[in-house]
C-alpha cells in the first residue's frame, strides 16, 4: 500500500513538473543573450560599440561619434531592426547620425545621454511606438 502511494505521488509530481514546463518555458530563465556586436566608430580616434541582446535591447557605448551612413539599410543593425525594443546610449557618445534608427517600428524607449550634441535627419523616422524622447540640455542640432 505504501509503495503504491509513493508511485502515485511520484507520478503526480512528474505531471506537475510537465505542466509547469508548458506554462513557463525554460528559455524564460535564460540570460539575455548577445545576438550581434558591431564596431560603429566613425574614425580611429573614436571607440563606439553597439550590442544587440535577445531581449530587444540595443546598447551603444564607448566614446566619440557613430559612423554616418547615407541610407538606413547601410547600418549593420538594419536587418535586425524589428527586434529592437529599447536603446541605451552610453555617456561619451556624441551623435546620433542620419537614418540611424529609421523604421525601428518596435522601438518604444531610448536613453539619450547628455553627451549627445547632434541628432541627424530621419534618425527616428517611422518609429511608431516611440512616443516620448527626452533630449539633452546641451544638444546643438537636430536634423
Amino acid at each position: 500500500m505504501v509503495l503504491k502511494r509513493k508511485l502515485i505521488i511520484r507520478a503526480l509530481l512528474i505531471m506537475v513538473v510537465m505542466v509547469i514546463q508548458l506554462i513557463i518555458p525554460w528559455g524564460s530563465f535564460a540570460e539575455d543573450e548577445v545576438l550581434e556586436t558591431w564596431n560603429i566608430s566613425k574614425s580611429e580616434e573614436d571607440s563606439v560599440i553597439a550590442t544587440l541582446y535577445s531581449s530587444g535591447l540595443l546598447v551603444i557605448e564607448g566614446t566619440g561619434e557613430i559612423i554616418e551612413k547615407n541610407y538606413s539599410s547601410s547600418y549593420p543593425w538594419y536587418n535586425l531592426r524589428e527586434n529592437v525594443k529599447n536603446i541605451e546610449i552610453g555617456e561619451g557618445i556624441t551623435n546620433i547620425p542620419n537614418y540611424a534608427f529609421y523604421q525601428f517600428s518596435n522601438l518604444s524607449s531610448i536613453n539619450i545621454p547628455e553627451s549627445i550634441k547632434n541628432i541627424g535627419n530621419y534618425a527616428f523616422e517611422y518609429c511608431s511606438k516611440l512616443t516620448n524622447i527626452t533630449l539633452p540640455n546641451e544638444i546643438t542640432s537636430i536634423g
Side-chain angles (χ1 to χ4, degrees), residues 13-27:
L13 285 173
I14 290 172
M15 288 175 38
V16 167
V17 168
M18 290 173 66
V19 168
I20 289 173
Q21 285 179 331
L22 290 173
I23 296 171
I24 305 173
W26 288 111

Side-chain angles (χ1 to χ4, degrees), residues 57-128:
L57 175 63
L58 177 64
V59 176
I60 299 174
E61 54 194 351
T63 56
E65 292 187 63
I66 298 172
I67 192 167
E68 186 88 30
K69 300 288 187 176
N70 292 328
Y71 304 99
S72 59
S73 59
S74 299
Y75 286 97
W77 50 66
Y78 183 77
N79 289 333
L80 297 170
R81 70 190 181 281
E82 295 298 319
N83 297 19
V84 178
K85 298 174 187 168
N86 306 298
I87 299 174
E88 292 286 332
I89 301 175
E91 190 67 41
I93 306 302
T94 59
N95 74 320
I96 298 174
N98 296 338
Y99 300 102
F101 308 117
Y102 184 85
Q103 292 183 331
F104 277 47
S105 60
N106 290 317
L107 177 63
S108 62
S109 72
I110 183 166
N111 178 26
I112 301 176
E114 287 295 322
S115 60
I116 295 289
K117 303 300 179 220
N118 305 302
I119 298 177
N121 294 319
Y122 312 108
F124 300 105
E125 185 80 16
Y126 300 113
C127 295
S128 56

